Amino acid sequence: MSSHPDVQTHAHDEIHLPPPSWGPIVIALGVTVLAFGFVLPLLLPVGAIVLLVGIWKTSNFSVIDEIRTSMGVHSRMLGMWVFLASEIMFFAGLIATFLGYKQRAGEVAYLLNVPLMTIGTFLLLTSSFSAVSALSALQQNKLKAFRNWLIATMILGGLFLGVELLEWGELIGHGITTGTLFGSAFFTLTGFHGLHVLIGIVWMVFLLARTLRGRMTPASATGVEIFGLYWHFVDIVWIVLFTIVYLL
Amino acid sequence: MTEYTSQLTEHAQRKPNYLLIFGVLAAITLIEVTLATDKPLVLVLLSMAKIVLVAGYYMHLRFASGWFTAIFLTPLPFVALVMVALVVALAPGADGSASVNGVCSLF
């Protein structure tokens, strides 16, 4: 999209229609089946597979279109920022609940493995650095570097999840399960954060698949930047969680 | 495409030193876990510094439209309300039960 005044005015007058796709219908179907999966667990993998196919079809554009809103900002970037704002409220509710239950649960916080999760924190911080380096490489048309940074980010995200699972295993070994007051708040909070990390990794698998098919160019950088916003936000959430759950 | 490429070039010229920012983030984390564990206020301030660095430079808020910063900051007053309400509501009362009635009286 050009910043030339005439072109921008023209763009604002346009009605932007995305290309036809059955992806959103498949996504809706996948989410529905996934929701039923919480009652009938056999449906969970089916819903997840249908959902992933839908996301794949929806995300499979060669270039993210450069549509600007009347505010002069990129429409998809705006959408991601609004989504992240809603995520702030989501995690605020979980964190507040954790803090409230932590007070009532008594002294169990000493069971938390601070050194282990410090390593986890460094893994996520490093993954943020590698994610932004991947974006930078793509913007400079260094596709091999982009691919390598992306793979590094995936590995670091996966290692963080591994560290988190180790921590969970230790706590369960100490009798802190979802059946306890502290455990229910802790596992819900860190579990939802871990789920966000997992979703980010799946997102990177899609990006990597497109890269390997030769469909990534500097013009695709906006899509990668939108992914980066999500990934860095997940890092920010962990910065808050690490302080509140492990250090305070 | 030409315009887009020029935007990227402009962005690249204003690109911060990501490695330096990573170094600062790592140093702050080390300070948190070694020197500041018994200083809650310092821990909160250090966390806020890390958030500002990640949002400002890795998420490019420092260089992006002010709209994005406004959108990102808009939930914060509501976050404060939710935190106060839930923490007060779930805090143990004198008899050990949740003081939900206490928070209701706040409103």
Side-chain angles (χ1 to χ4, degrees):
Chain A
M1 180 56 61
S2 169
S3 61
H4 190 281
D6 293 341
V7 179
Q8 277 202 339
T9 306
H10 176 65
H12 291 161
D13 292 341
E14 279 179 1
I15 298 174
H16 169 64
L17 288 175
S21 168
W22 47 268
I25 297 170
V26 179
I27 288 176
L29 185 68
V31 170
T32 307
V33 175
L34 203 61
F36 277 109
F38 288 105
V39 183
L40 300 169
L42 278 177
L43 290 177
L44 272 177
V46 179
I49 290 168
V50 175
L51 180 61
L52 286 175
V53 170
I55 291 172
W56 171 256
K57 288 304 295 178
T58 308
S59 65
N60 204 16
F61 298 119
S62 56
V63 176
I64 297 282
D65 43 339
E66 293 292 314
I67 303 299
R68 301 256 160 187
T69 67
S70 58
M71 295 146 73
V73 295
H74 192 287
S75 59
R76 290 179 193 253
M77 297 275 277
L78 178 65
M80 177 50 83
W81 278 108
V82 171
F83 169 70
L84 295 182
S86 72
E87 287 276 275
I88 290 175
M89 289 306 300
F90 174 75
F91 278 104
L94 291 178
I95 290 169
T97 307
F98 173 81
L99 286 174
Y101 281 149
K102 190 180 176 184
Q103 292 179 62
R104 299 180 66 196
E107 282 299 315
V108 288
Y110 70 92
L111 293 171
L112 297 171
N113 192 336
V114 178
L116 181 65
M117 293 321 291
T118 303
I119 294 171
T121 303
F122 274 108
L123 288 170
L124 262 197
L125 285 177
T126 313
S127 77
S128 257
F129 168 68
S130 58
V132 81
S133 299
L135 172 66
S136 177
L138 184 62
Q139 286 171 337
Q140 296 169 56
N141 204 19
K142 297 175 180 169
L143 295 179
K144 193 175 175 185
F146 166 70
R147 185 197 64 197
N148 291 342
W149 281 119
L150 193 65
I151 291 172
T153 311
M154 287 170 63
I155 291 171
L156 289 164
L159 286 173
F160 172 82
L161 284 183
V163 165
E164 193 162 51
L165 286 176
L166 275 177
E167 163 76 335
W168 283 19
E170 279 187 15
L171 284 175
I172 290 169
H174 285 112
I176 305 292
T177 63
T178 52
T180 64
L181 199 56
F182 180 83
S184 65
F186 173 84
F187 288 119
T188 305
L189 181 57
T190 56
F192 267 111
H193 177 266
L195 180 65
H196 279 72
V197 174
L198 184 62
I199 290 169
I201 292 172
V202 172
W203 194 339
M204 280 187 274
V205 169
F206 282 105
L207 290 176
L208 184 64
R210 284 186 57 187
T211 307
L212 296 176
R213 292 167 68 196
R215 300 185 69 174
M216 278 294 186
T217 66
S220 320
T222 306
V224 176
E225 186 159 11
I226 290 169
F227 158 74
L229 292 178
Y230 174 84
W231 191 256
H232 300 310
F233 176 77
V234 170
D235 189 19
I236 284 178
V237 171
W238 182 255
I239 288 171
V240 176
L241 293 194
F242 182 62
T243 304
I244 288 178
V245 176
Y246 288 90
L247 299 181
L248 284 179
Chain B
M1 175 61 85
T2 308
E3 177 66 25
Y4 181 68
T5 309
S6 71
Q7 283 177 8
L8 291 181
T9 309
E10 184 190 346
H11 180 74
Q13 284 168 353
R14 298 164 67 189
K15 196 187 302 174
N17 186 335
Y18 295 129
L19 189 59
L20 176 67
I21 291 160
F22 171 70
V24 175
L25 288 168
I28 293 175
T29 306
L30 273 178
I31 293 170
E32 281 180 326
V33 296
T34 54
L35 303 176
T37 47
D38 56 345
K39 302 179 182 72
L41 184 62
V42 177
L43 282 173
V44 171
L45 290 175
L46 289 175
S47 294
M48 285 170 66
K50 284 163 73 178
I51 291 168
V52 168
L53 283 173
V54 173
Y57 293 98
Y58 283 178
M59 297 171 89
H60 302 126
L61 270 187
R62 176 101 168 68
F63 315 102
S65 164
W67 282 108
F68 294 153
T69 307
I71 291 166
F72 198 50
L73 296 180
T74 298
L76 295 189
F78 302 102
V79 166
L81 277 175
V82 167
M83 298 290 258
V84 170
L86 273 175
V87 171
V88 171
L90 297 174
D95 58 351
S97 63
S99 53
V100 176
N101 290 335
V103 75
C104 290
S105 66
L106 289 174
F107 299 100

